[in-house]
Amino acid sequence: MSTSTDRVVLAYSGGLDTSVAIGWIAERTRREVVAVCVDVGQGGEDLGVVRQRALDCGAVEAYVADAREEFVNDYCVPALKANALYEGRYPLVSALSRPLIARHLVRAAREFGAGTVAHGCTGKGNDQVRFEVSITSMAPDMDCLSPVRDLALTRDVAIGYAEEHSLPIETTRHNPFSIDQNVWGRAIETGFLEDLWNAPTKDVYVYTDDPTYPPLPDEVVITFERGVPVALDGRPVTPLEAVQELNRRAGAQGVGRIDMVEDRLVGIKSREIYEAPGAVALIEAHQALEAVTLERQQRRYKRQMEQAWSDLVYEAQWYSPLKRSMDAFIEDTQRHVCGDIRMVLHGGRATVTGRRTDTGLYDFGLATYDTGDTFDQSSARGFIEIYGLQSRLAAARDLRSGDVEAF
């Protein structure tokens, strides 16, 4: 179906702001609104209920999609293979979901004949960039609209609008946090957390229990094939099931709590609280298996690329040519990342205690210092002489020229 300028596809969450945005956009742009809700494991209401609310709020069409499997398989698993942690800590909880949601928005726009895609982001966050860059990367002919940023839809205005029009949505002026969650984790910001000296209170956390008072340690064996989790404790699982079960088990131990100040794409430093028990446990296990299965130079170079990959995804470049090329390299590194990792989940930590693989580069005979040692120690002297030759020549030159004093 060809696109039309008389329809707008709106990323719909079912909450106050996007429910109000349906009528707000229609009134101010004179366009019909198609609501699109994508389930990436955020929990909450049944999709059928959300769809009906969109229609009751004035949407001419409402499209819902259960994208949990797609999200984990096509977005979280690549992040796991990349050991993706923005600024060394954040497992890209929100950043991974935005390009997937954008893909569904573009599909819906094509299907329902819309030429504009709208989202509920503000003008000072990362997500507006992620949505719009992703959308235009897939559909350069489409326009993007933000009711909050472009049509002055503030929260106070949204509450007043909902009350005036008797929309079927709960309204409240007391909402201290901005929260985004999916199966990969949960992000919490704003409210009293904006004061960097304030510690998070217990009501901030939902995915994780207090690690100060943990239950008994929980031992789990995670099996990987080509970098993908395929079994837990010997029981076959899908990647989605692996994440969900580890969210439960690692979350019960308080694993995956993150309190950090990060550098947003728009230039602002922002205090963020994250909960990602399954993601943190899986990345820890995956890194441990790579330590056994990747060749030294390959692993060293991959670590450099992992940070660049994480930066690209955080900064709205999921569909960029550079990331696509990086994906090819990372996928190639996973050919031998197969085996079992044993972990103990306890007191906020996921600790690797065992590694087992048939494709590793660890050779017991070379590593042992006991009987059975197969390493030829006589070759070490010549290796050291050659390895240190350049440094030795440079040191002799410096002594001759007086650049350094003799020790």
Side-chain angles (χ1 to χ4, degrees), residues 151-228:
L151 301 177
L153 180 59
T154 63
R155 186 160 184 81
D156 286 344
V157 169
I159 292 173
Y161 186 96
E163 292 173 346
E164 178 184 352
H165 292 79
S166 300
L167 297 183
I169 184 70
E170 180 182 354
T171 61
T172 175
R173 296 179 187 274
H174 178 68
N175 184 10
F177 305 125
S178 173
I179 299 171
D180 180 60
Q181 61 190 42
N182 57 53
V183 70
W184 197 238
R186 187 167 178 267
I188 311 99
E189 63 180 10
T190 70
F192 70 84
L193 296 172
E194 291 176 341
D195 184 334
L196 300 184
W197 193 247
N198 288 337
T201 51
K202 63 180 181 180
D203 60 315
V204 168
Y205 299 105
V206 172
Y207 282 14
T208 56
D209 293 332
D210 188 348
T212 308
Y213 307 101
L216 293 174
D218 183 3
E219 185 177 271
V220 59
V221 176
I222 306 172
T223 303
F224 291 87
E225 287 290 341
R226 298 178 69 94
V228 180

Side-chain angles (χ1 to χ4, degrees), residues 223-228 286 288-296 298 332-341 355-363:
T223 303
F224 291 87
E225 287 290 341
R226 298 178 69 94
V228 180
H286 183 260
L289 188 55
E290 282 192 332
V292 182
T293 56
L294 296 191
E295 182 271 334
R296 180 179 62 174
Q298 184 186 42
D332 183 70
T333 68
Q334 301 301 292
R335 287 185 298 163
H336 301 300
V337 184
C338 307
D340 300 324
I341 294 295
R355 307 146 182 88
R356 182 170 57 197
T357 175
D358 294 328
T359 56
L361 299 176
Y362 179 85
D363 186 315

Side-chain angles (χ1 to χ4, degrees), residues 9-13 18 35-42 63-68 70-72 74-75 93-109 117-121 127 130-136 138 142 180-183 318-319:
V9 161
L10 170 68
Y12 184 66
S13 69
T18 53
V36 174
C37 179
V38 182
D39 183 4
V40 288
Q42 61 265 39
Y63 165 89
V64 297
D66 182 350
R68 290 173 297 172
E70 180 186 3
F71 177 51
V72 173
D74 298 342
Y75 296 81
V93 169
S94 298
L96 288 171
S97 71
R98 297 334 187 206
L100 168 63
I101 296 171
R103 179 177 289 277
H104 280 271
L105 292 172
V106 170
R107 288 175 182 169
V117 176
H119 58 80
C121 306
D127 284 340
R130 292 168 182 156
F131 275 123
E132 297 187 23
V133 171
S134 294
I135 290 163
T136 55
M138 292 179 285
M142 288 187 181
D180 180 60
Q181 61 190 42
N182 57 53
V183 70
W318 180 271
Y319 296 110

